[in-house]
Amino acid sequence: MAESIKLIANNKKAFHDFFIDEKYEAGIELFGTEVKSLRMGQCSIKEAFIGIAHGEIFIYHMHVNPYEKGNIFNKDPLRTRKLLMHKSEIMKLFGKVKEKGYTLVPLQVYLKGSRVKVEIGLARGKKLYDKRADIAKKDARREAERDFKVRIKG
């Protein structure tokens, strides 16, 4: 049976600012009220980043809104959260991040079945001229699609 996937948060800015070379999936260590808040879609990863320390991988500045009915059980919305991956995957990522120009960025947070997952991208930063080239390509494609639609109607 295929597991259902429900998108919670997406990081469009990451695709604009970075070239994504590889993608990985990781679980995330959460408390009960955070899971309830995520199920309601109360999450932002726009300012989030990922770091590796002491052989473990963490996500920093991921904002999970406090659960309304959570009262004393709510945790700090911006707390550092541990990501769950195999040790071999973490060491592989650590080796790649040591290379010049690579970083880890969260791409999206989603529910896979009953579990919350984070998609991580191994990324290289884009220069300003790369961003301009991407914008020019998107504009050209948009213009071509617009012309194609006009021809079909006419």
Side-chain angles (χ1 to χ4, degrees):
M1 188 169 105
E3 295 191 48
S4 63
I5 294 178
K6 178 188 171 202
L7 186 65
I8 299 170
N10 197 1
N11 191 355
K12 293 179 184 176
K13 186 179 173 187
F15 291 99
H16 183 260
D17 292 340
F18 299 99
F19 292 112
I20 308 299
D21 290 346
E22 295 179 35
K23 294 180 182 179
Y24 296 91
E25 181 180 77
I28 185 167
E29 189 177 73
L30 296 168
F31 289 96
T33 54
E34 291 176 322
V35 175
K36 290 179 180 184
S37 182
L38 285 171
R39 287 187 188 281
M40 293 179 5
Q42 304 293 318
C43 176
S44 173
I45 57 172
K46 290 194 185 339
E47 301 297 322
F49 63 96
I50 295 173
I52 300 174
H54 308 295
E56 296 180 330
I57 189 165
F58 297 93
I59 186 165
Y60 302 91
H61 298 292
M62 175 178 151
H63 190 275
V64 177
N65 285 354
Y67 184 58
E68 300 170 355
K69 301 172 182 130
N71 58 39
I72 62 169
F73 299 109
N74 282 331
K75 301 291 180 190
D76 178 30
L78 289 174
R79 75 180 183 87
T80 302
R81 294 169 178 88
K82 183 178 177 181
L83 296 180
L84 308 171
M85 294 178 80
H86 291 282
K87 184 69 86 178
S88 59
E89 285 182 308
I90 294 172
M91 290 299 120
K92 180 180 171 186
L93 285 174
F94 183 68
K96 297 246 179 154
V97 170
K98 282 287 196 184
E99 293 177 25
K100 185 175 186 256
Y102 278 105
T103 188
L104 295 172
V105 292
L107 300 177
Q108 58 186 12
V109 178
Y110 54 93
L111 285 167
K112 187 174 183 181
S114 64
R115 311 218 183 234
V116 179
K117 300 287 185 178
V118 178
E119 187 175 56
I120 299 169
L122 183 66
R124 289 178 291 124
K126 283 186 182 178
K127 303 281 189 230
L128 183 59
Y129 56 84
D130 292 329
K131 293 178 189 179
R132 287 181 183 155
D134 281 351
I135 291 170
K137 284 180 192 174
K138 286 179 187 176
D139 287 344
R141 192 185 79 236
R142 199 174 298 124
E143 288 291 328
E145 287 175 0
R146 189 177 298 130
D147 292 343
F148 186 68
K149 285 180 182 178
V150 169
R151 285 187 202 144
I152 290 175
K153 290 179 183 177

